[in-house]
Structures are given as structure tokens and as C-alpha cells.
Amino acid sequence: MNNFRLFLGLRLPQGPSEALTNKMAGLTESGIVFRRWTHPADLHVTLHFLGDTPESSVAAIDALTAETAAATAPFALTLTEAGTFGPPSAPRVLWCGLAESAGAPQEGALAALHAALGAHLAASGFATEARPFRAHVTLARGGAAGSDPAALMAAWRAVADAAPESLSWTADDVTLYKTHLGRQPSYEAIGCYAFGSNDDSKGKNASSATSAEFA
């Protein structure tokens, strides 16, 4: 039986993806060193990491994700600031944070989507991560000396900011990704599930997907 390395996430459209790609290029030009930078086609927001999953379980994931997505209204997200996980002197992960529109009717929608998917996954027997959800877009992994917070923030601010409209988008679907280790880009979209009243609210096969502030 084949196992797939899977996760559920939100894709980034062209504007936010290009804004982050520009930031990553500026950081490398400034001498910020990480072992592995995220390929632009792989930029996303992880909702739930499923890990090695039997191929026979994909249909159940497809069904529960389609049901959860259909009960979710589209909501607005904005890229915000850079941050890191791990030791300050050699951060394990470099990321960009997210914010929802303050006062919007769907405020808290991202956390609610994460919780709803988690409840459905757990009810169907899938293991979910116990750590608190902190929405972000991973930009790089394995920071070297010189990637400390002060140097990172200085380099981040030195890169020209994208136009504000390029930093925001409306999330309107969830994607099921399959990881291909050792390949760039690494993530293949194998399912897409539309939100709310969108006509196509069922899962469908998808083609292969090849603290400083922005403003």
C-alpha cells in the first residue's frame, strides 16, 4: 500500500506570492543565510499536517475537507510581519505572519477553519498536532550564524515593500497537498475544496502545483 505525505493548507495567489518572493530575494542579497528557502510555488499557509497517510485514506480526507469548506465563508487575509521559530542565534524557521481584517464579519475565520478541520479529522481517526495554531507562511528553514533577529529585521526593512493591495487576498478554498521530498517545488495540489456558496464546493482533483512589517 502506498503512503502519501499530506497536509491541508491555503494557497497564496500571485500578488502575495510575488511580494514574499521579493522579500526572500532581498534577504539573500543582504547576506541572510538559511539552509533551505521555500520555492515560490510552494508558498502556502499550513492548516493541518497529516504526515505519512495511506492512499486509501485520501477519500475520507477529501470528503471531510469538502464538507468543512462548504460550511466556511470566504475571508480576507493580509501578510504582516517576519518572525522566527527556534533559537534567536540560529533560527529554525523564518516565516511571515498573517492578519484578518479587523471588524470583518468573518473575523476569526482562519482559526475557526483550523478548528473545524481538526475536529473533523480527529472524528475520522486522523492524528492532529497538539501545539497551538499560529498561522504563518514559511519562508526558509535552517538559519545560520548572522540570521539573528536584529540582522533579519534590518534586512527585511531594507527590501522595498510591495504595494498594499499585493499583500491582501480573499481565501476561498482549501488545498490538499502531497509532498515530494527532494524535489523543487516540493508540493503537489491533489485536491481543492471551495468555500461557502461557490458553485464548486466539492473536492476536485487539481493539477500539479508547480518582527518587521511590510507597511
Side-chain angles (χ1 to χ4, degrees), residues 154-180:
W156 183 272
R157 294 189 181 101
V159 180
D161 291 329
E165 60 269 20
S166 297
L167 307 179
S168 299
W169 76 100
T170 298
D172 57 8
D173 56 36
V174 176
T175 299
L176 176 62
Y177 289 98
K178 176 182 176 182
T179 301
H180 296 273

Side-chain angles (χ1 to χ4, degrees), residues 3-213:
N3 277 1
F4 295 156
R5 191 173 178 86
L6 303 176
F7 66 92
L8 291 165
L10 301 178
R11 60 185 175 83
L12 264 63
Q14 183 177 356
S17 180
E18 289 181 348
L20 289 179
T21 299
N22 183 57
K23 284 288 189 181
M24 291 189 289
L27 292 177
T28 57
E29 291 170 3
S30 298
I32 300 299
V33 178
F34 277 79
R35 179 171 50 84
R36 186 171 76 252
W37 292 87
T38 301
H39 189 285
D42 283 339
L43 292 168
H44 67 278
V45 182
T46 299
L47 292 169
H48 284 282
F49 177 70
L50 301 172
D52 289 335
T53 306
E55 184 177 1
S56 59
S57 297
V58 172
I61 297 170
D62 183 89
L64 70 87
T65 307
E67 179 184 353
T68 307
T72 302
F75 53 88
L77 292 172
T78 300
L79 300 175
T80 56
E81 58 186 17
T84 60
F85 296 138
S89 59
R92 181 170 47 83
V93 174
L94 170 66
W95 48 263
C96 181
L98 299 165
E100 295 181 47
S101 299
Q106 308 94 334
E107 190 171 358
L110 180 55
L113 173 61
H114 172 267
L117 282 170
H120 281 97
L121 287 165
S124 298
F126 294 99
T128 58
E129 293 183 298
R131 60 186 175 183
F133 177 58
R134 185 170 185 179
H136 64 279
V137 180
T138 296
L139 305 180
R141 298 180 184 275
S147 299
D148 61 276
L152 277 170
M153 295 307 104
W156 183 272
R157 294 189 181 101
V159 180
D161 291 329
E165 60 269 20
S166 297
L167 307 179
S168 299
W169 76 100
T170 298
D172 57 8
D173 56 36
V174 176
T175 299
L176 176 62
Y177 289 98
K178 176 182 176 182
T179 301
H180 296 273
L181 298 176
R183 192 180 88 176
Q184 291 292 324
S186 300
Y187 306 137
E188 175 189 357
I190 63 171
C192 186
Y193 314 90
F195 286 170
S197 60
N198 291 355
D199 290 338
D200 186 8
S201 61
K202 295 182 179 180
K204 58 180 181 291
N205 290 334
S207 58
S208 177
T210 356
S211 20
E213 297 186 354

